[in-house]
């Protein structure tokens, strides 16, 4: 670019030029090629953010810090090179040598990575300060640089690189000089013979980008020292179960699940003899939207995972009954007919009509469990579009119903969640997962982080998925992440800085929302805050273009205390990443802190029983094919929730079920004694007074909890607090072990 410089004749230059003609000055004379590329990239991101109505433009552009390397770049390394042995000894000063090395690294990495990297940014380590009355410290002879990479997720996992044709002698010679022994000549299926590179046989902690960077450094810089604890772009992948997948960025862990579901759907659509035709089949399970932590359920033995849920909807007909309970009985008849039709299908190994336990009769409780020959268990339910209207009419009093209004309201909320919003959410997330391959890994890793910190029962899968989706559909102030490392850390950074008390979470899956839709969502959020200022029912508001109400996945859960802990844990994780940098041990982010809980229940790991020891409780062989084992730990937790759920908030990991943490409800503190308290109490103080004060009997309740667990509980640790007199530990029988 030139300003009033008609006499200036531009020449080819590898550096940016902004020439001021009257003063004869290149304004960008201090700017390197990579710093200009970074400046342009940030400007492009800012312009895109200004066009998005969902974001706070001022906060994105002027408040949020974007220079944290772990979130700014997809891949980040630190290189130390001997200033004598790498070929820059002719330059006298160390800063000059650093600039030469940075320029050389930039050129080599640009050629080596090709379109795998959208931006490469070398950064020279800053000079250490010294006192004015003393000389600067002598250099150690090492040049230290940090290099950040912005990767292209569509190309960075490519295993085969095609080079020049063998007929192009000069290009082939340069290719072989650059890659050394790694280059090889290959004939491809189209008959062409090309120089090529094959990136395979990688170690468990190495990726393709990491291998290319290491090869370039080894081949072109003879003596270098590289940090042994590099946080590479895909380092978090090894924390996820890949089930033998060689391409972690693909959706291969779910290929078996999706294939089995498609075959079962075809068998259901091909059924004959049903009274009505099937209109639609809806997927609702996390396994069918690429967000289940363990991928294909048939490849693991984790018993806490639910079966793979899906719905079928029959065509409309006036023969459907008008009564809600009659509709439920009609559904049972339809499911029995479906079971008869699938009984002779070669894909189906076993089938069972199941009536699930429900808190009250208005909740849907009939389903059909189908086990396929490849080991998957699917759970089928029927969706009837008129049920919701029947429940709403009962709530308004237009249709007589014996159930209390609270039960009707809960049934309406559960029906919308299960039959209306979950299919829409699954379809939207499924579509985005195919568009952004990293989204699946990010959702799974975020769920693993949630489970590791004992938040499994409080944060719904769909809510966690919405937070992960935001990193991709609204990535500002950055671009769409190019690695799992940056995607996960940016997601944690959002949670850490999210003021959920005054800011709603708004997700636009398909870029359909305009400013009026956003303002309407903010209005609904403000109305909820006025109706529920104490945030007892709705603490977190999470809306989307397919769910503008905003409380589908956060109604009554998480509570305020859980939402605060969620953001505080994210802040602690971000602070740990900032402090340790490249020395970070990834597992440290997934270690739970138990110091904040009032008591800890330790359970025996993997405590399952395959068959009951009592003859009358043993199931037959057909049912045993569905129930691989009884999860005693989960049954124990469910019982604790029923008995003490009003007075204790329980925290646990659904996958491991080895520790149950608890917090006492503050409302169970000291109070005046009265008849009918729903928890065990003890007098507060030994002297009689006019109004006897009582408090929750911590010791008695903890001993009852240990006794209820039996052999399952190894010990219960109590933290000194406002409800207890001191720290203690009790065993399963309620006897003190300390």
């Amino acid at each position: 670019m030139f300003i009033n410089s008609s006499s200036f004749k531009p020449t080819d230059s590898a550096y940016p030029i902004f020439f001021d003609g009257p003063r004869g000055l290149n304004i960008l004379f201090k700017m390197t090629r990579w710093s200009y590329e970074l400046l342009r990239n940030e400007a492009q991101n800012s312009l895109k953010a200004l066009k998005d109505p969902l974001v706070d433009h001022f906060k994105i552009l002027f408040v949020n810090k974007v220079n944290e390397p772990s979130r700014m770049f997809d891949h980040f390394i630190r290189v130390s090179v001997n200033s004598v042995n790498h070929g820059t000894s002719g330059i006298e000063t160390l800063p000059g040598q650093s600039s030469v090395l940075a320029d050389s690294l930039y050129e080599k990495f640009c050629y080596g990575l090709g379109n795998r990297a959208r931006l490469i940014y070398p950064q020279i380590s800053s000079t250490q300060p010294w006192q004015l009355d003393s000389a600067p410290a002598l250099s150690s002879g090492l040049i230290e640089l940090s290099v950040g990479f912005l990767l292209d997720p569509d190309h960075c996992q490519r295993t085969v690189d095609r080079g020049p044709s063998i007929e192009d002698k000069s290009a082939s010679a340069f290719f072989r000089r650059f890659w050394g022994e790694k280059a090889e000549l290959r004939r491809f299926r189209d008959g062409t013979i090309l120089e090529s590179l094959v990136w395979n046989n990688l170690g468990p902690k190495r990726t393709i980008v990491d291998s290319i960077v290491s090869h370039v450094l080894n081949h072109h810089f003879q003596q270098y020292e590289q940090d042994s604890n590099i946080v590479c772009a895909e380092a978090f992948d090894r924390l996820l179960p890949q089930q033998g997948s060689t391409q972690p960025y693909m959706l291969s862990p779910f290929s078996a699940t999706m294939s089995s579901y498609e075959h079962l759907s075809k068998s259901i659509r091909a059924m004959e003899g049903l009274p009505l035709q099937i209109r639609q089949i809806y997927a609702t399970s996390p396994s069918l939207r690429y967000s289940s932590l363990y991928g294909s359920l048939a490849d693991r033995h984790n018993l806490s995972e639910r079966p793979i849920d899906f719905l079928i909807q029959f065509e409309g007909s006036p023969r459907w009954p008008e009564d809600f309970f009659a509709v439920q009985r009609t559904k049972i008849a339809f499911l029995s007919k479906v079971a008869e039709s699938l009984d002779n299908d070669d894909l189906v190994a076993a089938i069972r009509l199941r009536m699930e336990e429900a808190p009250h009769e208005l909740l849907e409780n009939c389903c059909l469990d189908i086990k396929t020959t490849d080991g998957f268990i699917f759970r089928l339910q029927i969706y009837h579009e008129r049920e919701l209207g029947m429940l709403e009419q009962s709530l308004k009093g237009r249709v007589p119903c014996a159930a209390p209004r609270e039960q009707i309201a809960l049934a309406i909320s559960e029906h919308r969640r299960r039959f209306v919003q979950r299919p829409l959410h699954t379809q939207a997330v499924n579509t985005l997962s195919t568009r952004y391959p990293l989204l699946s890994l990010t959702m799974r890793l975020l769920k693993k982080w949630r489970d590791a910190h004992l938040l499994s029962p409080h944060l719904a899968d769909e809510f966690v998925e919405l937070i992960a989706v935001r990193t991709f559909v609204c990535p500002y102030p950055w671009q769409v992440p190019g690695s799992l490392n940056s995607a996960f850390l940016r997601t944690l950074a959002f949670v850490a800085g999210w003021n959920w008390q005054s800011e709603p979470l708004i997700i636009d899956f398909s870029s359909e929302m305009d400013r009026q839709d956003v303002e309407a969502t903010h209005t609904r959020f403000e109305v909820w805050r006025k109706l529920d200022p104490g945030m007892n029912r709705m603490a977190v508001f999470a809306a989307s273009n397919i769910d503008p109400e905003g409380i589908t996945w956060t109604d009554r859960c998480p509570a305020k205390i859980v939402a605060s802990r969620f953001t505080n844990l994210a802040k602690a994780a971000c602070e740990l990443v900032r402090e340790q940098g490249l020395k970070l041990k990834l597992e440290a982010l997934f270690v739970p802190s138990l110091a904040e809980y009032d008591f800890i229940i330790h359970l025996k790991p993997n405590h399952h029983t395959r068959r009951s020891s009592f003859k009358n409780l043993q199931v037959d062989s057909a049912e045993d094919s569905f129930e691989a084992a009884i999860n005693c730990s989960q049954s124990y937790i469910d019982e604790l929730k029923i008995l003490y759920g009003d007075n204790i908030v329980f925290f646990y990991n659904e996958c491991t079920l080895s520790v149950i943490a608890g917090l006492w409800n503050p409302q169970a503190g000291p109070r005046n004694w009265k008849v009918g308290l729903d928890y065990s109490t003890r007098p507060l103080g030994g002297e009689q007074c006019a109004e006897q004060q009582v408090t929750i009997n911590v010791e008695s309740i903890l001993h009852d909890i240990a006794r209820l667990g039996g052999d399952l509980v190894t010990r219960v640790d109590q933290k000194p607090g406002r409800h207890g007199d001191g720290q203690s530990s009790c065993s399963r029988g309620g006897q003190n072990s300390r």
Side-chain angles (χ1 to χ4, degrees):
M1 182 179 294
F2 306 95
I3 302 178
N4 299 327
S5 55
S6 57
S7 61
F8 180 80
K9 296 182 179 180
T11 58
D12 293 337
S13 175
Y15 294 89
I17 296 177
F18 195 131
F19 191 76
D20 186 352
R23 296 162 185 82
L25 175 67
N26 177 18
I27 300 176
L28 305 181
F29 73 99
K30 287 187 177 182
M31 182 168 283
T32 59
R33 292 174 289 176
W34 50 87
S35 58
Y36 177 76
E37 291 295 331
L38 181 63
L39 175 65
R40 186 171 66 173
N41 180 76
E42 296 298 330
Q44 292 173 347
N45 294 340
S46 300
L47 289 176
K48 292 179 181 178
L50 290 173
K51 298 178 182 179
D52 194 332
L54 298 181
V55 301
D56 184 347
H57 298 150
F58 181 82
K59 182 178 180 181
I60 290 295
L61 297 181
F62 301 105
V63 177
N64 291 350
K65 293 184 178 181
V66 299
N67 59 347
E68 179 65 33
S70 60
R71 300 194 295 266
M72 184 177 184
F73 299 108
D74 300 317
H75 190 83
F76 191 74
I77 66 172
R78 181 175 294 118
V79 182
S80 298
V81 180
N82 192 305
S83 61
V84 176
N85 295 326
H86 89 286
T88 62
S89 57
I91 302 177
E92 296 180 357
T93 62
L94 194 62
Q97 297 178 11
S98 301
S99 301
V100 173
L101 176 61
D103 192 73
S104 179
L105 283 173
Y106 179 77
E107 291 181 353
K108 297 296 189 298
F109 285 151
C110 283
Y111 182 83
L113 293 172
N115 61 358
R116 286 187 173 91
R118 295 178 294 190
L119 186 142
I120 300 174
Y121 184 73
Q123 186 175 8
I124 303 172
S125 299
S126 58
T127 304
Q128 296 297 325
W130 66 89
Q131 296 295 331
L132 294 178
D133 56 353
S134 62
L138 296 177
S139 173
S140 61
L142 289 179
I143 304 175
E144 296 184 355
L145 295 96
S146 299
V147 185
F149 303 86
L150 289 180
L151 304 179
D152 189 338
D154 295 332
H155 301 286
C156 64
Q157 289 300 310
R158 185 176 63 248
T159 57
V160 178
D161 288 337
R162 296 192 178 192
S165 172
I166 190 176
E167 298 176 355
D168 191 343
K169 302 298 183 181
S170 59
S172 297
F174 178 80
F175 187 87
R176 287 191 169 274
R177 285 197 306 270
F178 186 88
W179 294 108
E181 297 179 354
K182 188 67 178 177
E184 58 184 30
L185 201 62
R186 297 174 67 93
R187 180 188 294 272
F188 293 90
R189 292 182 178 181
D190 56 1
T192 57
I193 302 177
L194 304 175
E195 299 285 353
S196 61
L197 302 168
V198 179
W199 304 99
N200 53 14
N201 299 325
L202 305 178
K205 298 183 181 181
R206 294 181 65 86
T207 61
I208 293 177
V209 172
D210 192 32
S211 298
I212 294 175
V213 170
S214 298
H215 180 81
V216 170
L217 290 173
N218 276 319
H219 188 64
H220 294 280
F221 303 92
Q222 298 301 322
Q223 296 203 13
Y224 76 99
E225 296 178 5
Q226 196 170 353
D227 198 303
S228 59
N229 292 321
I230 288 180
V231 180
C232 60
E234 297 82 18
F236 284 97
D237 292 356
R238 60 184 176 84
L239 301 178
L240 291 173
Q242 298 294 339
Q243 299 166 324
S245 172
T246 57
Q247 302 212 4
Y249 273 74
M250 307 304 291
L251 304 176
S252 54
F254 297 90
S255 57
T257 308
M258 301 301 293
S259 176
S260 182
Y261 171 71
E262 292 174 1
H263 285 91
L264 181 60
S265 300
K266 292 180 181 178
S267 299
I268 293 176
R269 290 185 181 277
M271 289 188 306
E272 298 179 356
L274 296 177
L276 296 175
Q277 295 294 324
I278 295 177
R279 177 190 294 178
Q280 190 60 265
I281 299 179
Y282 301 101
T284 60
S285 172
S287 299
L288 301 179
R289 55 178 181 260
Y290 306 108
S291 64
S292 175
L293 177 58
Y294 287 91
S296 297
L297 305 186
D299 297 338
R300 62 166 184 83
H301 303 286
N302 190 298
L303 302 173
S304 64
E305 187 77 23
R306 297 183 297 269
I308 305 175
D309 299 306
F310 71 104
L311 308 173
I312 61 173
Q313 180 184 11
F314 289 98
E315 62 181 356
S317 172
R319 291 182 291 175
W320 280 96
E322 298 293 334
D323 180 70
F324 178 82
F325 298 103
V327 170
Q328 302 306 310
R329 291 189 288 270
T330 304
K331 286 185 176 183
I332 297 176
F334 271 108
L335 290 176
S336 300
K337 192 66 176 178
V338 172
E340 294 177 3
S341 301
L342 292 177
D343 193 35
N344 297 325
D345 194 287
D346 296 335
L347 179 67
V348 178
I351 193 167
R352 179 184 62 177
L353 182 62
R354 180 188 178 101
M355 300 295 293
E356 289 186 311
E357 295 183 3
H360 53 82
E361 58 184 1
L362 291 179
L363 293 180
E364 184 89 9
N365 63 349
C366 58
C367 60
L368 189 68
D369 286 349
I370 306 170
K371 184 173 184 178
T372 60
T373 54
D374 45 8
F376 296 100
I377 298 179
F378 293 88
R379 178 161 293 175
L380 169 64
Q381 289 184 300
I382 297 177
Y383 166 53
H384 180 46
E385 64 276 7
R386 295 169 60 184
E387 282 182 292
L388 183 59
M390 297 177 187
L391 292 173
E392 291 175 344
Q393 293 297 323
S394 300
L395 184 64
K396 296 177 181 178
R398 299 175 182 176
V399 176
C401 182
R405 288 179 57 86
E406 292 78 7
Q407 291 186 5
I408 299 176
L410 289 175
I412 292 175
S413 177
E414 178 62 24
H415 188 278
R416 286 176 176 168
R417 184 182 301 112
R418 184 185 303 182
F419 295 103
V420 179
Q421 289 300 329
R422 190 162 287 153
L424 294 175
H425 177 84
T426 301
Q427 182 180 6
V429 173
N430 187 301
T431 302
L432 286 181
S433 296
T434 56
R435 184 186 307 172
Y436 305 111
L438 284 170
L439 175 59
S440 174
L441 294 179
T442 306
M443 292 186 294
R444 295 169 61 196
L445 189 61
L446 190 61
K447 289 182 180 180
K448 181 180 178 67
W449 184 82
R450 171 203 64 181
D451 296 343
H453 291 283
L454 311 182
L455 300 178
S456 301
H458 302 284
L459 302 179
D461 283 347
E462 292 82 2
F463 172 62
V464 175
E465 292 163 9
L466 286 177
I467 295 177
V469 165
R470 184 200 173 276
T471 305
F472 291 84
V473 300
C474 187
Y476 315 111
W478 302 284
Q479 291 180 336
V480 175
S483 71
L484 177 59
N485 180 37
S486 59
F488 177 67
L489 294 180
R490 290 176 190 177
T491 305
L492 289 184
F494 164 74
V495 176
W498 179 26
N499 185 5
W500 47 267
Q501 297 178 344
S502 59
E503 297 177 6
L505 174 65
I506 305 176
I507 303 299
D508 188 3
F509 284 99
S510 53
S511 302
E512 296 178 351
M513 301 183 71
D514 53 20
R515 190 166 297 278
Q516 288 74 19
D517 297 330
V518 176
E519 292 176 355
T521 304
H522 278 276
T523 301
R524 279 189 288 270
F525 170 73
E526 294 171 357
V527 170
W528 267 108
R529 284 293 183 254
K530 293 179 181 179
L531 294 176
D532 184 22
M535 294 179 284
N536 297 317
R537 178 180 175 181
M538 190 275 296
V540 178
F541 189 90
S544 66
N545 61 313
I546 60 177
D547 178 27
E549 297 300 324
I551 63 170
T552 301
W553 316 118
T554 58
D555 189 7
R556 298 180 175 86
C557 191
K560 290 185 295 183
I561 186 174
V562 178
S564 297
R565 180 158 181 80
F566 183 44
T567 54
N568 290 336
L569 287 172
K571 291 178 182 178
C574 293
E575 183 66 19
L576 183 65
V577 173
R578 187 189 66 82
E579 290 178 354
Q580 297 192 7
L582 296 179
K583 298 180 180 180
L584 174 68
K585 298 294 185 181
L586 303 183
E587 290 78 4
L589 297 177
F590 297 84
V591 177
S593 174
L594 304 179
E596 296 80 6
Y597 298 104
D598 293 331
F599 64 89
I600 307 295
I601 307 172
H602 298 270
L603 307 180
K604 289 183 179 179
N606 302 322
H607 194 88
H608 306 105
T609 176
R610 187 161 295 277
R611 295 182 64 87
S612 174
S613 59
F614 300 99
K615 187 68 176 179
N616 61 322
L617 297 181
Q618 293 181 2
V619 295
D620 55 24
S621 59
E623 291 186 349
D624 192 56
S625 63
F626 289 94
E627 304 295 342
I630 301 173
N631 193 335
C632 298
S633 301
Q634 186 62 52
S635 301
Y636 176 59
I637 292 174
D638 294 339
E639 188 70 17
L640 291 180
K641 288 181 179 180
I642 296 174
L643 296 175
Y644 307 106
D646 294 335
N647 303 310
I648 302 175
V649 182
F650 293 101
F651 299 81
Y652 56 88
N653 185 341
E654 287 183 347
C655 297
T656 59
L657 297 176
S658 59
V659 171
I660 304 175
L663 290 176
W664 299 103
N665 189 339
Q667 297 181 355
R671 61 182 302 173
N672 293 332
W673 179 86
K674 68 177 182 178
V675 178
L677 290 177
D678 58 352
Y679 53 88
S680 176
T681 60
R682 62 176 178 84
L684 188 64
E687 299 181 358
Q688 298 293 331
C689 55
E691 293 184 357
Q692 179 65 51
Q693 293 283 316
V694 297
T695 186
I696 190 168
N697 193 342
V698 172
E699 296 293 337
S700 176
I701 292 178
L702 291 182
H703 280 76
D704 290 341
I705 288 175
R707 186 179 297 110
L708 179 64
D711 294 335
L712 181 63
V713 178
T714 58
R715 73 178 192 275
V716 179
D717 296 333
Q718 178 186 348
K719 174 186 175 183
R722 60 181 180 274
H723 293 303
D725 297 330
Q727 184 173 2
S728 65
S729 178
C730 58
S731 63
R732 64 179 179 85
Q735 302 297 326
N736 290 332
S737 61
R738 182 180 301 174

